[in-house]
Amino acid sequence: LAGLNWVALISSWLGWTEPWWYYTFAVYFVIYMALSRPARTVFHEASALQVAVEQLAGVIGYLESYRYANAPGLRQLCSSFLDQEKRPSRLLGRIKQVAAATGIQGTPIIWLLLNAAAPWDYFFAYQLNRYKRQVAAVAPGWLDTWAELEALSALANLSYLNPDYRVPDIESDVGSLQPIFSAKALGHPLLPDSAKVCNDFAVDRLGDVAILTGSNMAGKSTFLK
């Protein structure tokens, strides 16, 4: 209808036809107003989504630009941030464009002229819904990767600050293990060595129960942690 309006307007202006654009524009206006009510909220929705994802922008930008040359395992883990088509900055940039394009709603005259010429709000509402579906499909993967990076970073920092600590060996077939769990000189990682009391501890078989007893402030909770 918007295209038909322009054709009728130009044709009338050139004197080729009667001013039929009065009628086509009236039909366009009625239909557009009936269908575009959800589109009028697109600016606020896009802006709210942009504010939410901007909180991730710093970390995501770093992960996208990081050089993984000497870390193939890390590169594999962060592969979702490196896909040229689905990388976060690309998809989030499109949402930012929608927010910018629909920002004209704050200028009523320009907003009215643009929507009279073409279904501006309706088009960008359609685009926003497309981008939301794309982000919804990949965002859980981004957050899972970020969570794993947080955990790995915490473990790496602990290892760096405590080079004498052992990394535990974890076996998948616990049924054949004797004992099931065994630790030597087990101590709380946040206590300084000068104040830390370490203990050996083992669980010999599945189903064994260990009971910790002692007076208040003797260190039971610290040992459990």
Side-chain angles (χ1 to χ4, degrees):
L1 280 173
L4 184 60
N5 288 341
W6 281 103
V7 171
L9 177 63
I10 294 173
S11 178
S12 174
W13 181 66
L14 294 175
W16 296 346
T17 62
E18 298 296 323
W20 292 338
W21 67 271
Y22 295 156
Y23 308 105
T24 60
F25 181 78
V27 174
Y28 166 81
F29 180 78
V30 171
I31 294 177
Y32 185 74
M33 294 304 292
L35 296 179
S36 66
R37 180 169 296 179
R40 295 173 202 170
T41 64
V42 65
F43 170 68
H44 300 291
E45 191 173 351
S47 298
L49 188 57
Q50 181 183 346
V51 170
V53 299
E54 282 293 338
Q55 300 175 44
L56 315 177
V59 172
I60 286 176
Y62 179 80
L63 293 175
E64 286 185 352
S65 60
Y66 185 78
R67 296 183 179 181
Y68 298 90
N70 298 320
L74 193 60
R75 182 182 183 87
Q76 178 63 31
L77 175 62
C78 297
S79 58
S80 59
F81 298 109
L82 306 177
D83 188 323
Q84 291 296 327
E85 287 300 317
K86 297 181 179 179
R87 61 169 43 195
S89 61
R90 188 181 184 91
L91 291 178
L92 302 183
R94 291 171 179 171
I95 293 174
K96 185 181 293 187
Q97 291 173 358
V98 171
T102 55
I104 62 165
Q105 291 182 0
T107 311
I109 295 178
I110 297 178
W111 173 83
L112 183 63
L113 291 174
L114 278 176
N115 282 277
W120 185 272
D121 284 355
Y122 193 82
F123 172 76
F124 283 105
Y126 169 77
Q127 291 292 85
L128 180 62
N129 285 329
R130 282 184 56 218
Y131 299 151
K132 283 168 58 179
R133 287 193 295 269
Q134 293 176 17
V135 171
V138 294
W142 299 344
L143 298 178
D144 287 344
T145 299
W146 192 347
E148 188 166 350
L149 286 171
E150 288 277 7
L152 292 174
S153 178
L155 291 171
N157 189 52
L158 178 68
S159 178
Y160 175 77
L161 295 175
N162 303 277
D164 56 325
Y165 280 13
R166 281 288 305 272
V167 176
D169 298 319
I170 301 176
E171 301 290 344
S172 58
D173 184 13
V174 298
S176 61
L177 293 180
Q178 294 292 336
I180 295 298
F181 176 83
S182 178
K184 300 292 185 182
L186 191 64
H188 197 295
L190 299 183
L191 293 178
D193 292 338
S194 59
K196 184 187 305 184
V197 177
C198 297
N199 296 271
D200 298 343
F201 183 76
V203 177
D204 293 328
R205 294 176 299 277
L206 286 175
D208 283 1
V209 175
I211 299 177
L212 289 179
T213 64
S215 60
N216 290 342
M217 305 300 292
K220 299 186 299 297
S221 298
T222 302
F223 177 74
L224 288 172
K225 292 174 182 177

